[in-house]
Amino acid sequence: MTQDEVETAAQGGGARWRIAMLVVMGLLGAAVLVALIVTLGHANRQRDRALELQAHSYDVMILARTLSGTIARSEASLGRYVISGDKQLGQLYFDEWLLAGTQIDRLDQITNDNPEQQPRVDRLRAAYDARGRELSLTALNTRYGKNGQALARYYQGRKAPTLIEINTTLDTLIARERALLDDRTAAALGSVERSSWVAGVLAIFGVLIVLGAILLGWFTIRAVGERATALADAELERERADELTTAVAAATAELRVQEAKLRQIQKMEAVGQLTGGIAHDFNNMLAVVLGGLELARRNLASDPASVRRHIDSATEGANRAAALTRRLLAFSREDSLKAETIDAAALVAGMSDLLDRTLGDAITVIVRDDAAGGCVRADRVQLENAVLNLAVNARDAMNGRGTLTVATGATTLAADQVGRCAAGDYVTIMVGDDGCGMAPDVAERVFEPFFTTKEVGKGTGLGLSQIFALVQQLHGEVGIVSAPGEGTTVTLYLPRAAELVALPLPTVPIAMVEPIAPTVPETLQILVVEDDPRVLAATTGALEEIGHNPIACDDPLAAPALLAANPGIGLIISDVLMPRQTGPEMIAALSPLYPHVAVLFVTGFAGEVNVAQFGGHEVMRKPFTLNGLERAVMTAMAAERRETNRPIAAE
């Protein structure tokens, strides 16, 4: 072999070696690049997770501070109500206090993922309930005109343990969330630092590889390295710019939403205060209108057909006005709930015509009963409104055309299987549609007050929050299943009550009790206590028309003297809310002196009066008809006779 051939072979071997080294270095460089990308991706994920947890902690702290401000505004409104006696301030206190309860429910929901915070939320809820009972006593004293007691109770309550417990619990909850935020931030920073250190080591190793490659192929390796570095830096800067843009857009949108909610709250407060005052006077006027119309129908003899036609039209209009008043009272939270045992399937079946008329011909309504006779304890009107509200929302989700399914069922749930429900038997009312459905982030917020996806002016965002509050009050839960394009199904889980059973009439030995007459005497002397002179005149006229002898009393403080002067009085008909003394207070003072006298309360604005304060006596709502008044008198007298003639067990 010649010298040239040896040199050529050596050069060829050196080239192959350099090529092999370039391949190895290229592979090592690729491995380093992959490790660097993985490290940077991990760092980005850690940063995103830290931002998410920080946002969650900020939400908890903001909500806690908002709750504290709501409670403070409610108590301040109560103080102004105690001093001024202005019912609008009393209603403002009541609305703010209800809003605080809803905020506690929301706080419970967003801290559900933190077992450490849940006991604090439970203590906060218990202190809120106890504080609510204390403030209710102060408000009740003010409503009944006992301003001295109310003022003393209010100032005493400012140092109550419950208020201290609420403030302490909120401070503890916020402090813990702030500490948790610091821990999460520190952990995220530590993870980023570790990722940065690993990235630095990999970068150094990559630089060494690049330097070694430069020795073998300077121009090629340098060009590839510079291009890769430029692309990586540009991508990182672009990601940071996108993140900053997204954060600014989200913050701007949230500010707009909060401004809209504040405006809506102010509107609803004004409407609630207005409806409560209108409903009170409107009910008294309706009592006069209905009573006068029925007296005229009984006494007028000329042209009876025309008179009866006009009177029937006026009576129908008055009844419609009475129904409107009941809705106003329910809206302003002044009409007390009437709990009763309700067959869920029968309630839904009875709403079929109402649903058809409300939803329109383009909606096909399917009603299904799988409840097997299951019953619940609830206010019938409120439960019907809840089902109707869900149906109307479903119609809007289907754009007025589709299939709506309303089904009742029965199920047994374990503890916390659905929300925070207790273990036991439940009756379900399911309302499902085949509409547009909702994204998960929207479905999580549908029960928040004032949250709505409808256009401005087409929804207040209160319907679903009121349904949630009603179900919570009944110790039930609400489940929702929805996905975009797959419709929405909302299920109400209500505790099952005892079924409606037709009880046999009780039998009493003849020797043990005297028989009770099924009707009242032909003429009964009745004391009518009413502060409104028009309602007093209408009521006494109605009693005279049905054959009784009424004695008018426009001041509850004058009732004892009238009872003493007329020993033949067998029944007291009394209004509930009167300026100088309430009806329950008057009866409580008179009952020990006149235990044989029956009592019938008449009211059109029970408000926050505790049902227990009626003492088990009959209650009739304004406005009332002559037939309704006659039935109420008979019922009150029969109840008094049953109490008086109760059999005594033989020794």
Side-chain angles (χ1 to χ4, degrees):
M1 182 178 292
T2 62
Q3 183 66 29
D4 292 335
E5 292 175 347
V6 172
E7 291 178 357
T8 301
Q11 291 176 356
R16 287 191 296 272
W17 178 80
R18 287 193 295 271
I19 292 174
M21 289 298 298
L22 285 173
V23 171
V24 171
M25 289 185 177
L27 293 175
L28 290 175
V32 170
L33 183 59
V34 169
L36 185 60
I37 292 174
V38 171
T39 302
L40 292 176
H42 177 71
N44 288 335
R45 288 191 296 273
Q46 290 293 328
R47 184 185 65 253
D48 294 341
R49 177 59 179 167
L51 291 174
E52 180 181 354
L53 294 176
Q54 286 176 352
H56 180 272
S57 297
Y58 285 136
D59 288 342
V60 173
M61 291 188 289
I62 291 173
L63 184 55
R65 289 301 183 192
T66 303
L67 172 59
S68 178
T70 302
I71 293 175
R73 290 195 303 273
S74 177
E75 296 207 7
S77 298
L78 178 59
R80 295 194 296 271
Y81 173 50
V82 169
I83 294 173
S84 65
D86 188 351
K87 291 184 178 180
Q88 292 185 353
L89 294 175
Q91 183 62 40
L92 180 60
Y93 139 72
F94 185 67
D95 291 341
E96 291 285 355
W97 193 256
L98 286 182
L99 178 60
T102 305
Q103 290 172 349
I104 291 176
D105 292 338
R106 177 58 184 162
L107 187 63
D108 189 8
Q109 290 179 351
I110 65 176
T111 59
N112 195 32
D113 60 339
N114 190 347
E116 183 180 0
Q117 293 285 45
Q118 279 298 301
R120 299 187 179 97
V121 176
D122 293 338
R123 290 198 303 271
L124 179 61
R125 190 187 301 278
Y128 166 82
D129 293 337
R131 184 62 176 172
R133 290 190 293 270
E134 295 173 359
L135 297 181
S136 295
L137 292 176
T138 302
L140 189 60
N141 286 334
T142 303
R143 174 163 291 183
Y144 289 161
K146 300 179 179 179
N147 293 64
Q149 295 182 10
L151 188 60
R153 187 181 294 276
Y154 174 76
Y155 282 108
Q156 183 180 2
R158 295 177 65 182
K159 299 180 180 180
T162 54
L163 181 60
I164 297 174
E165 177 66 17
I166 290 175
N167 294 331
T168 303
T169 304
L170 282 174
D171 292 340
T172 304
L173 191 145
I174 293 173
R176 179 53 192 153
E177 199 66 34
R178 185 177 291 110
L180 187 60
L181 175 63
D182 294 339
D183 294 340
R184 289 169 175 171
T185 303
L189 291 176
S191 176
V192 171
E193 289 177 358
R194 289 192 297 271
S195 298
S196 300
W197 181 83
V198 172
V201 172
L202 292 174
I204 293 174
F205 189 66
V207 170
L208 293 177
I209 294 177
V210 171
L211 290 176
I214 289 175
L215 297 176
L216 301 174
W218 171 263
F219 295 103
T220 303
I221 299 300
R222 184 180 64 177
V224 172
E226 289 177 352
R227 184 177 181 182
T229 302
L231 289 175
D233 292 338
E235 183 66 22
L236 184 59
E237 291 298 328
R238 186 163 51 252
E239 291 178 357
R240 291 176 178 174
D242 292 341
E243 290 174 357
L244 181 60
T245 302
T246 302
V248 171
T252 303
E254 183 62 23
L255 285 175
R256 292 175 179 173
V257 170
Q258 294 300 330
E259 290 177 359
K261 286 183 179 180
L262 179 58
R263 289 193 297 269
Q264 189 64 30
I265 289 173
Q266 293 171 345
K267 292 179 182 178
M268 295 307 296
E269 286 179 353
V271 172
Q273 294 169 1
L274 176 64
T275 54
I278 292 176
H280 186 194
D281 295 334
F282 198 24
N283 264 331
N284 283 337
M285 291 302 298
L286 286 174
V288 178
V289 171
L290 288 178
L293 288 176
E294 291 214 7
L295 289 173
R297 184 164 55 185
R298 290 195 176 196
N299 293 316
L300 289 179
S302 59
D303 194 7
S306 176
V307 171
R308 183 173 296 276
R309 183 175 64 255
H310 290 299
I311 291 178
D312 288 341
S313 298
T315 303
E316 180 183 358
N319 286 329
R320 290 180 178 272
L324 174 61
T325 300
R326 286 192 293 272
R327 291 189 179 94
L328 287 173
L329 289 173
F331 177 77
S332 65
R333 292 297 185 271
E334 296 294 346
D335 199 10
S336 55
L337 298 180
K338 300 176 182 177
E340 58 179 301
T341 302
I342 303 171
D343 187 323
L347 179 136
V348 173
M351 295 180 63
S352 297
D353 293 340
L354 176 62
L355 291 175
D356 290 337
R357 291 194 303 269
T358 303
L359 302 180
D361 297 335
I363 300 294
T364 301
V365 180
I366 300 175
V367 177
R368 189 172 66 249
D369 175 24
D370 298 322
C375 298
V376 297
R377 287 285 296 175
D379 182 282
R380 180 178 296 274
V381 175
Q382 295 290 343
L383 191 55
E384 287 178 348
N385 286 341
V387 176
L388 185 60
N389 232 329
L390 292 175
V392 171
N393 281 350
R395 178 199 63 190
D396 296 341
M398 295 185 290
N399 291 326
R401 183 177 300 275
T403 301
L404 175 72
T405 302
V406 183
T408 56
T411 185
T412 300
L413 299 180
D416 299 332
Q417 182 176 346
V418 178
R420 296 173 59 86
C421 68
D425 296 331
Y426 288 80
V427 174
T428 62
I429 301 177
M430 184 274 289
V431 179
D433 64 71
D434 56 0
C436 60
M438 294 180 288
D441 57 334
V442 176
E444 289 180 357
R445 301 186 60 192
V446 292
F447 295 117
E448 294 181 7
F450 307 107
F451 176 78
T452 179
T453 58
K454 299 179 182 179
E455 300 177 3
V456 177
K458 294 188 177 181
T460 63
L462 288 175
L464 290 178
S465 66
Q466 289 177 336
I467 294 174
F468 181 80
L470 172 65
V471 174
Q472 291 289 316
Q473 183 180 5
L474 298 177
H475 306 290
E477 276 294 343
V478 183
I480 183 168
V481 178
S482 183
E486 298 181 5
T488 301
T489 299
V490 180
T491 304
L492 308 183
Y493 295 87
L494 304 176
R496 184 163 186 161
E499 279 73 7
L500 295 169
V501 179
L503 299 177
L505 292 175
T507 58
V508 181
I510 297 178
M512 301 292 290
V513 60
E514 296 179 1
I516 300 175
T519 59
V520 298
E522 184 175 349
T523 299
L524 185 66
Q525 197 170 23
I526 302 174
L527 177 64
V528 182
V529 184
E530 169 63 60
D531 63 304
D532 191 314
R534 297 166 299 177
V535 179
L536 181 60
T539 305
T540 55
L543 290 172
E544 290 175 350
E545 181 64 26
I546 61 177
H548 297 299
N549 180 20
I551 299 175
C553 177
D554 60 358
D555 186 354
L557 298 182
L562 291 174
L563 283 170
N566 298 273
I569 292 176
L571 174 65
I572 300 175
I573 298 179
S574 173
D575 191 16
V576 174
L577 296 180
M578 292 178 285
R580 303 183 65 185
Q581 189 180 41
T582 66
E585 290 176 341
M586 179 190 70
I587 296 301
L590 294 176
S591 292
L593 302 176
Y594 303 95
H596 62 284
V597 179
V599 177
L600 173 61
F601 287 110
V602 182
T603 181
F605 190 73
E608 298 174 8
V609 175
N610 193 331
V611 176
Q613 293 187 4
F614 291 131
H617 298 297
E618 293 296 322
V619 181
M620 180 174 63
R621 290 280 183 172
K622 300 175 186 175
F624 52 83
T625 63
L626 288 177
N627 291 333
L629 177 61
E630 189 170 11
R631 286 195 301 271
V633 170
M634 293 173 61
T635 302
M637 293 302 299
E640 177 61 29
R641 288 178 177 177
R642 284 195 299 270
E643 184 68 21
T644 304
N645 296 310
R646 180 177 298 168
I648 302 175
E651 296 182 356

